[in-house]
Amino acid sequence: MILHGTMSVNGKGYLGIGGCDTVELARKFGTPLYVIDEALFRQKCREYYREFIEKNKAEVVYAAKALLTAAICRLVEEEGLGLDIVSGGELYTALQAGFPVSRLYFHGNNKSAAEIKFALEAGVGYFVVDNLYELEMLNHLAKEIPTQVNILLRVTPGVEAHTHEYIKTGQIDSKFGLVIENGQALAGIKRALEMNGVKLNGLHCHIGSQIFELESYEHTAEVLLNFSAQVYRETGWVPADLNLGGGLGIYYAAGDRPCSIQEYAEVLITALQKNALKHHLSVPRLIVEPGRSICGPAGSTVYTVGAVKNIPGVRKYVTVDGGMSDNPRPALYQSRYEACLASKAAQPPVETVSVAGKCCESGDMLIWDIELPLVEPGDILVVSCTGAYNYTMSMNYNRLPRPAMVLVNDGQADLILQRETYSDLIRNEVLPERLKKSRRVNIAVCKV
Ligand code: LLP
């Protein structure tokens, strides 16, 4: 496993993160445990801040969907980034954490009237409008307040990013955004320009996630500016803001070759300037919405090894006390991860094993064929780069309580998310009075 951020092997031969011994963290907080390396999280925010905001007067909006808790909101705010939210729940979290509303960007392809009202009343800075239904509803609800709300219109540029089918979004056949090619996007712009409740500030698109080829972004910038030139000719309106979404890929396992944040910024800025110049348009303010490339490498998951099943000549299964419930990505996207035995971090690998989760699904495998030192029950296993889309997509399958999360820095570990308890699991359940006493009841027979 590659050591990310502040990871190191300490004097005891154990894996340390943020100056904390992971074996000790496992003992103190229990497992599975999400560990966030604060220094690495902040470092990534700062790289984005330097390359986009400082050098190029662009805006960086952290995508909350990748990882969000109150503590994460605080880090994002302290590092000077905005926040991309996609639901009433994310908005509520941001508000509770005191995040400045003017730097909230509200996305989502099916915002409900209740969510829109909530966001309008809170004074959310920008709405990223996904479709005409939402546009009409937003205009109507904004006028009721009354207010004029800043919007970006999400368009579908028809760019195919090279990434997993489920996480690409830029192609025409997508549930997101108004299609440029067939005129829907232009019609949306014209309609928005007629409205009093909204102020059309610019355009938004997002081509997908975990992207390694920067050419896809170059191409997207070109498509968006070609389109902007067409819109200008037809309406006289030019986008002040151009939000090109998130998606920068990260290293998960051998073979992954991510681009740096600096390269990403250079490619986007150059493409924007070049294409604006080509069309004699003023260069729009660039907005990017990184999620994974900020929080992904900063997160690790600490597990305890339980059952070890060896099938001679076939495979050795090493089972941990979590799995798809805290990290559904391998099961959903065949994602690959690296891991190490934190309790034997100084020992060389001696065997090839596969790491299984404890859920009742054969597909609940975290890592196939990984080389580790001799694995025994009780060992502490750490999977790296689990910061993005692990906790946010975690679930209670098999009624497994979700893990706790700690923020580590400089030898200090702070709990930022409590471990769920069994009582949390049944907290919202209601047992009707008539089921409290055991008895047999007559049922109406369904005729098929
Ligand atoms: N902006 C928009 C409009 C998005 O839809 C997304 C991600 C982002 C920004 C942030 O993208 P990032 O920089 O994190 O790649 N659950 C999947 C990823 C889904 C991505 C959804 N949208 C996974 O685990 O890989």
Side-chain angles (χ1 to χ4, degrees), residues 98-370:
F99 199 89
V101 285
S102 62
R103 294 192 76 191
L104 291 178
Y105 286 70
F106 192 16
H107 291 67
N109 67 313
N110 191 21
K111 302 175 186 81
S112 68
E115 285 176 316
I116 291 179
K117 274 189 205 154
F118 180 24
L120 283 172
E121 277 155 19
V124 162
Y126 294 84
F127 279 74
V128 180
V129 176
D130 199 279
N131 51 65
L132 294 179
Y133 171 70
E134 178 191 340
L135 183 63
E136 297 296 340
M137 180 157 62
L138 178 62
N139 182 43
H140 176 73
L141 293 172
K143 280 195 296 193
E144 267 180 12
I145 289 219
T147 185
Q148 195 184 41
V149 59
N150 290 317
I151 68 162
L152 304 179
L153 207 59
R154 180 163 180 168
V155 299
T156 317
V159 174
E160 294 265 348
H162 296 266
T163 187
H164 192 280
E165 196 62 35
Y166 292 176
I167 55 178
K168 57 167 126 160
T169 48
Q171 74 283 10
I172 287 173
D173 187 357
S174 162
K175 71 173 182 171
F176 297 105
L178 295 162
V179 176
I180 290 181
E181 208 175 276
N182 64 11
Q184 285 173 340
L186 181 62
I189 290 171
K190 286 182 175 163
R191 181 72 190 107
L193 290 173
E194 294 166 0
M195 292 175 161
N196 299 325
V198 303
K199 177 173 181 299
L200 182 61
N201 260 47
L203 302 174
H204 170 280
C205 72
H206 170 77
I207 55 172
S209 198
Q210 184 60 358
I211 293 171
F212 291 140
E213 292 105 14
L214 295 178
E215 298 78 51
S216 306
Y217 289 109
E218 238 175 340
H219 184 45
T220 307
E222 188 184 352
V223 172
L224 267 281
L225 279 152
N226 288 349
F227 176 57
S228 302
Q230 183 205 344
V231 172
Y232 178 64
R233 283 193 300 275
E234 301 220 11
T235 66
W237 176 84
V238 277
D241 288 345
L242 200 54
N243 184 331
L244 293 182
L248 184 64
I250 62 165
Y251 178 96
Y252 281 103
D256 289 343
R257 296 197 203 300
C259 301
S260 69
I261 293 168
Q262 187 183 358
E263 290 167 314
Y264 175 50
E266 278 166 10
V267 165
L268 290 190
I269 295 287
T270 311
L272 222 56
Q273 288 172 344
K274 192 178 92 184
N275 287 287
L277 194 70
K278 184 174 90 186
H279 294 291
H280 309 290
L281 292 174
S282 51
V283 186
R285 179 180 71 140
L286 173 66
I287 306 176
V288 286
E289 295 167 345
R292 188 192 315 266
S293 50
I294 289 180
C295 62
S300 305
T301 311
V302 180
Y303 300 99
T304 304
V305 174
V308 175
K309 171 182 174 176
N310 190 24
I311 313 168
V314 178
R315 182 178 301 282
K316 189 167 175 180
Y317 286 92
V318 166
T319 315
V320 293
D321 51 357
M324 65 192 291
S325 43
D326 58 78
N327 182 2
R329 299 192 70 258
L332 267 177
Y333 317 117
Q334 300 78 49
S335 311
R336 296 171 313 127
Y337 283 90
E338 289 184 344
C340 77
L341 276 190
S343 46
K344 294 172 181 167
Q347 296 180 21
V350 296
E351 57 177 355
T352 302
V353 301
S354 292
V355 181
K358 65 177 283 164
C359 293
C360 297
E361 293 251 0
S362 295
D364 179 25
M365 293 295 298
L366 288 178
I367 305 178
W368 292 100
D369 298 327
I370 176 176

Side-chain angles (χ1 to χ4, degrees), residues 41 68-77 93 97 407 415-417:
F41 187 97
L68 188 72
T69 68
I72 296 295
C73 279
R74 304 297 312 144
L75 296 186
V76 172
E77 191 203 342
T93 308
L407 188 66
L415 188 67
I416 60 170
L417 178 72

Side-chain angles (χ1 to χ4, degrees), residues 29 33-38 41 67-75 93 298-299 387 391 403-409 412-419:
F29 296 99
L33 178 70
Y34 296 119
V35 177
I36 308 296
D37 179 347
E38 181 176 343
F41 187 97
L67 175 67
L68 188 72
T69 68
I72 296 295
C73 279
R74 304 297 312 144
L75 296 186
T93 308
Y391 166 60
M405 191 183 296
V406 290
L407 188 66
V408 294
N409 189 35
Q412 187 177 336
D414 292 306
L415 188 67
I416 60 170
L417 178 72
Q418 273 175 356
R419 181 174 303 284

